Amino acid sequence: SWRGRFWGGIADDLSQGARVLEVGVGTGKNLPYWPKGVSMTAVDLTPGMLSRARVRAASLGLEAEILEGDVQALEFLEASFDLAAATFVFCSVPDPVRGLRELGRVVRPGGPIWLMEHVRSQDPRVGRLMDLLNPLVVRMMGFNINRDTIGNVTRAGLHLDRVDDLGVAGIFKIIRARARTPDGGG
């Protein structure tokens, strides 16, 4: 599964006791894939989804801090986490660059930031179709299908490490970035 692949890559980036932040936890679809032996914190904007995530965490026997929060204005100190992750979140964040900057702020300098997102296709025909359909999708579903998330990662000042294509017309990607270090590097 894509989620298994995503969280498997994250697990390779972690040491025992690491502090991990998942933004946009929703109802907790990722919880079964969370790495073991780390300290998990998860945030989401929607109280109803958070309630379902808490129930799912309890049913899986997971201990985690599951809090209401907005990725655009996280209530954590700088460098509070060793790693941050989000799956299919930045398609619906009103100001994605601001949200990505916040991840860069709350992750330790040089710490990894993992995203699994759908992005605007590089195929000109598919990309134009996505642009055309986007207003309808936003009205009906609440998320954008034509975001330039890879570009937003660099616009947010994060260091882009790699982008893995998950197939399906090049629309689905796993992105690994890093918070900048004080000298501006990754």
Side-chain angles (χ1 to χ4, degrees):
S1 80
W2 287 355
R3 289 180 196 276
R5 178 176 169 183
F6 178 76
W7 286 96
I10 287 172
D12 293 343
D13 256 352
L14 294 171
S15 57
Q16 195 72 12
R19 301 158 301 156
V20 178
L21 172 66
E22 181 183 356
V23 295
V25 68
T27 61
K29 288 181 183 175
N30 289 321
L31 272 62
Y33 304 98
W34 277 1
K36 307 288 183 244
V38 300
S39 172
M40 292 296 303
T41 301
V43 299
D44 200 279
L45 267 178
T46 312
M49 287 190 176
L50 286 167
S51 295
R52 291 174 63 189
R54 289 182 185 111
V55 167
R56 184 172 272 162
S59 74
L60 293 168
L62 297 175
E63 287 187 35
E65 211 175 6
I66 301 176
L67 310 166
E68 189 172 336
D70 181 353
V71 71
Q72 299 171 112
L74 293 168
E75 296 182 11
F76 301 111
L77 297 174
E78 288 184 20
S80 294
F81 299 96
D82 297 302
L83 180 147
T87 59
F88 305 114
V89 169
F90 285 93
C91 56
S92 57
V93 173
D95 186 343
V97 172
R98 183 174 166 195
L100 290 162
R101 279 190 187 120
E102 274 292 272
L103 292 185
R105 182 185 68 78
V106 302
V107 170
R108 66 174 164 73
I113 297 169
W114 285 77
L115 309 172
M116 184 164 52
E117 296 287 338
H118 55 83
V119 300
R120 186 182 188 279
S121 176
Q122 294 300 302
D123 178 312
R125 292 168 304 196
V126 176
R128 280 194 301 276
L129 180 61
M130 292 173 83
D131 292 342
L132 186 66
L133 293 174
N134 192 62
L136 179 64
V137 173
V138 169
R139 261 195 308 281
M140 292 178 65
M141 311 280 284
F143 58 83
N144 295 275
I145 59 172
N146 65 344
R147 287 265 169 96
D148 175 20
T149 302
I150 297 163
N152 288 341
V153 165
T154 56
R155 282 187 278 284
L158 303 177
H159 176 81
L160 187 62
D161 279 340
R162 73 172 196 257
V163 178
D164 297 332
D165 192 346
L166 294 172
V168 193
I171 295 170
F172 296 94
K173 310 279 188 191
I174 292 177
I175 302 164
R176 186 187 187 278
R178 280 180 284 137
R180 292 283 181 185
T181 55
D183 64 10

